Amino acid sequence: MELHHEFTVPVPADEAWRALLDIERVAPCLPGAVVEDYDGKTVTGSVKVKVGPVTVAYRGTAVFEEQDASAHRMVLLAGGRETRGQGTARATVTATLTERDGATAVSVRTDLTVTGRPAQFGRGVLAEVGDRLVGQFAVCLAERLTERPQHLAEDDEAPQPLDLLRTAGVPLAKRAAAVAAVLAVLTVAATRLRRRRQHTRSR
C-alpha cells in the first residue's frame, strides 16, 4: 500500500535535513523504536507494536539508498521480521524537503507491505495510524529542533511499545474488538477446562 504524508518543522531546510539524518536524535520521536547501531547509512534496530493485549516486536534494518543534500531528498529502504512469529514489514520511504518562509515542509511517500497480525486491520486502519504517527513525530521533531541539547537527554525515557489502539483511537478499537473477544473466550474456556480437570482429580 502507498501512503502520503506532509508536515512542517519551524527551521530552514538545511537544518531540518541534518536533523532527519541524525538518527539517534530523532529515534525517540518514533514510538516503540530502538536504534541499536547506525553507521551513517544503515540503521539496525527494533520496534514494538501493541494491539490490545498482544505485543508484536520487529527487528530489522533500514538503509539509506539515496541522500541528495542539494535536492533535500532521501530514500530509505526498511525491512523487519517478527521476533516471535512469521510476520514481516517492508517499506520504501521517500522524503523531500521544501523550504517555505523560513520553515520546511517535509513530504513523505511510503510504499508499505505488512504481513502477520497487524495486517489484519487493513489499509484504512494502517493509513489512519500512519497519519497519527506522522503528526506525533512532527510535533516531537519540532520540539527537539527548538530545544537545547542538554535538555534532550534529561527528557528521554525508555521507549514504550507503539499502542495501535491508543494511537488510532475508536475506529481501530472497533476493528480490534473481535480479536479481543476471541482472546477473552479462549481465556475463559481454558480457565473452565482447568477447573473441571482439578474438580475431576479431587473426586
Side-chain angles (χ1 to χ4, degrees):
M1 71 185 70
E2 191 168 289
L3 307 173
H4 296 268
H5 301 96
E6 184 169 308
F7 61 91
T8 301
V9 289
V11 295
D14 286 342
E15 185 176 345
W17 173 264
R18 289 192 297 271
L20 288 173
L21 291 178
D22 188 346
I23 300 300
E24 287 86 354
R25 185 180 182 186
V26 301
C29 290
L30 298 170
V34 175
V35 174
E36 299 171 2
D37 185 55
Y38 177 51
D39 61 9
K41 182 177 181 180
T42 302
V43 184
T44 301
S46 62
V47 62
K48 289 185 179 180
V49 179
K50 183 179 180 182
V51 185
V54 179
T55 298
V56 182
Y58 293 91
R59 191 174 188 280
T61 60
V63 180
F64 281 100
E65 184 180 61
E66 179 183 334
Q67 292 182 23
D68 189 337
S70 60
H72 291 145
R73 182 178 186 272
M74 65 179 73
V75 179
L76 187 69
L77 303 181
R81 179 177 294 276
E82 287 185 43
T83 57
R84 296 182 179 179
Q86 300 300 314
T88 61
R90 297 191 308 276
T92 300
V93 182
T94 303
T96 305
L97 284 61
T98 305
E99 189 165 331
R100 298 175 182 170
D101 300 324
T104 301
V106 183
S107 176
V108 182
R109 186 178 77 251
T110 305
D111 187 358
L112 175 67
T113 302
V114 180
T115 66
R117 285 170 285 182
Q120 68 185 307
F121 296 109
R123 186 187 188 285
V125 174
L126 291 177
E128 182 177 351
V129 170
D131 291 343
R132 291 176 181 265
L133 284 179
V134 170
Q136 292 176 12
F137 176 80
V139 171
C140 178
L141 180 61
E143 291 176 348
R144 285 179 171 264
L145 288 173
T146 55
E147 287 178 352
R148 288 179 296 178
Q150 58 265 35
H151 290 167
L152 299 182
E154 296 174 0
D155 295 338
D156 287 346
E157 299 178 355
Q160 298 297 315
L162 165 57
D163 193 331
L164 293 186
L165 291 180
R166 183 173 297 176
T167 300
V170 176
L172 179 57
K174 289 181 178 178
R175 291 172 173 81
V179 178
V182 171
L183 291 174
V185 170
L186 291 176
T187 301
V188 171
T191 302
R192 289 178 177 176
L193 181 59
R194 284 197 298 270
R195 287 176 178 174
R196 288 177 182 175
R197 288 177 177 174
Q198 293 173 354
H199 180 69
T200 302
R201 292 173 182 172
S202 63
R203 289 181 178 180

